[in-house]
Amino acid sequence: MEVALPMMALVVLICIGMPIAYALGVTGAVGAAMAIGWIPTLGVLQTTPYRTAANFLLSTIPLFILMAELLARSSIVANLYRMCFLWIGHVRGGLALAAVVASTGFAALAGSSTAAAAAMARISVPEMRKYGYDDRLAVGTVAVAGTLSIMIPPSMGLIMYGVLTETSIGSLFMAGVIPGVLTAIAYATVILVWVKRRPEIAPAAPKASRQARMASILPVWPAAILVCLVLGGIYSGAITATEAAAVGAAGALVIGLGWGGLGRKEFGVALRHTLRSTAMIFAIIIGAMIFGYFLAATRAPQNLIDWVGTLPLPPWGILLVIIAIYLLLGFFIDQLAIIILTLPLTFPLVMSLGYDPIWFGIIVTKTAEIGLVTPPLGMNVFVASGAANTKVEVGFKGVMPFLVGEVIVLALLIALPELSLYLPGLVAY
């Protein structure tokens, strides 16, 4: 009863619209008081906010968010898309393919999917409309391609997973490379099949001259150097993920001011968005930590493991049930909130079944990626539709074909763990 009542209260509070951070904090405090009494619970409430926010690893989050926002507000993303546009825009569906390639490049620069979707929608959708592309293809492509930022490092989802489970963030970043590239290939395949079946939704654009294509590479070199510094530093072991985040934020500021046309207004907007996102994430983490004390006091994770051990299901069957739950939650709850909320229960369970923590992190992040474009929440669809000034319904119709590719990639990652574990296996952290 002491577990069931707070759990039911959490679901009710979320359903009536209470912010997830507050719902976690309130139900966690009440549940902990029921389990260990109010005096110890008050001690938890006094110390948890500071102890949680003072975690050095968490400084990675605002730094990578700031890096993403600075790049999104500068002309770097526009230069990246223009280069892709000039090289492959003449192919039928090439402008949509260019958006996928540019989003892949932006994902390697920043870990914010909403920033990627918003920036790419402002830049690429007007170009696609100019050449007669259907809004469903244009907005759907931008929305779904933005989700690459939650898988391709540096990734907020992988950082949160690493912090909460004490798994190497560097190894998680390496593990996300191949799944991220596979996902981008799946998006490109969906576009090619779609435009082959319906050529009228994506007319071919004129082919650019060789001179113009070569010239388009030059403005992108600062971003390429930044990728090498951030990811190369992490993969080589020269710097930690936190230090890489600081290098990335500083580099994004230098590039934005020196080559990206970042002005005072854009800089202010980037800071405001960074503060808003950071405050939201930290509030959810603090609430989840309070809720975690309640779970620990009631031994809920251990009891769940014991109960699952009695089920007449093989380990892979239990894993599929967990993945199905993640996909279902993605319809209704913010993806980072899902990761923070569920890991205290699912991570010990999955580890007890003998699965690799790095591989499970990729699977969880992949389900979060899918949740970013599935109705009714689908945050990336709302962001892309708003930036493109079109109806949300059009955006959701546009992402539906891409969900087929998402499911295929998820199935491959589940069936072939080597896709996620090959690169981390090459380097010992």
Side-chain angles (χ1 to χ4, degrees), residues 166-248:
E166 297 183 356
T167 304
S168 167
I169 295 176
S171 294
L172 287 168
F173 277 5
M174 293 196 75
V177 173
I178 293 177
V181 173
L182 279 177
T183 303
I185 292 172
Y187 295 161
T189 303
V190 170
I191 292 170
L192 292 173
V193 172
W194 196 355
V195 300
K196 185 174 180 61
R197 294 183 62 187
R198 297 192 57 192
E200 73 278 5
I201 68 172
K207 186 174 183 178
S209 66
R210 184 176 183 276
Q211 183 179 2
R213 282 183 287 170
M214 297 303 296
S216 68
I217 299 175
L218 186 61
V220 180
W221 69 266
I225 292 176
L226 186 60
V227 170
C228 293
L229 287 175
V230 174
L231 299 184
I234 294 174
Y235 296 158
S236 67
I239 55 178
T240 65
T242 307
E243 293 165 344
V247 170

Side-chain angles (χ1 to χ4, degrees), residues 35-127:
I36 60 177
W38 276 110
I39 300 302
T41 300
L42 288 176
V44 170
L45 295 177
Q46 287 175 339
T47 59
T48 297
Y50 173 76
R51 288 174 58 189
T52 300
N55 187 334
F56 179 70
L57 282 175
L58 290 181
S59 62
T60 307
I61 295 173
L63 289 171
F64 272 131
I65 293 176
L66 178 60
M67 176 182 171
E69 291 293 339
L70 289 172
L71 292 171
R73 303 295 159 184
S74 70
S75 63
I76 297 299
V77 182
N79 292 336
L80 187 59
Y81 177 74
R82 183 174 181 274
M83 182 190 72
C84 299
F85 165 74
L86 291 175
W87 280 89
I88 60 177
H90 61 282
V91 179
R92 188 172 294 279
L95 274 69
L97 293 173
V100 172
V101 176
S103 294
T104 304
F106 185 69
L109 287 165
S112 173
S113 60
T114 52
M120 203 57 62
R122 289 193 298 266
I123 296 164
S124 65
V125 173
E127 286 294 322

Side-chain angles (χ1 to χ4, degrees), residues 256-343:
L257 293 175
W259 295 273
L262 186 70
R264 181 180 300 178
K265 179 181 177 181
E266 291 79 12
F267 181 66
V269 172
L271 289 180
R272 286 197 299 272
H273 283 219
T274 300
L275 288 172
R276 187 182 301 119
S277 299
T278 302
M280 177 194 71
I281 294 172
F282 271 61
I284 294 174
I285 295 173
I286 292 170
M289 288 299 177
I290 295 172
F291 195 79
Y293 277 107
F294 150 65
L295 293 177
T298 57
R299 290 182 52 83
Q302 292 81 1
N303 294 335
L304 177 63
I305 292 172
D306 293 339
W307 176 74
V308 168
T310 65
L311 294 176
L313 288 174
W316 62 265
I318 297 171
L319 178 69
L320 290 180
V321 171
I322 293 172
I323 293 172
I325 292 172
Y326 271 106
L327 291 172
L328 182 63
L329 290 174
F331 294 162
F332 308 103
I333 305 177
D334 176 77
Q335 279 58 50
L336 284 180
I338 294 172
I339 292 173
I340 296 168
L341 174 62
T342 59
L343 282 179

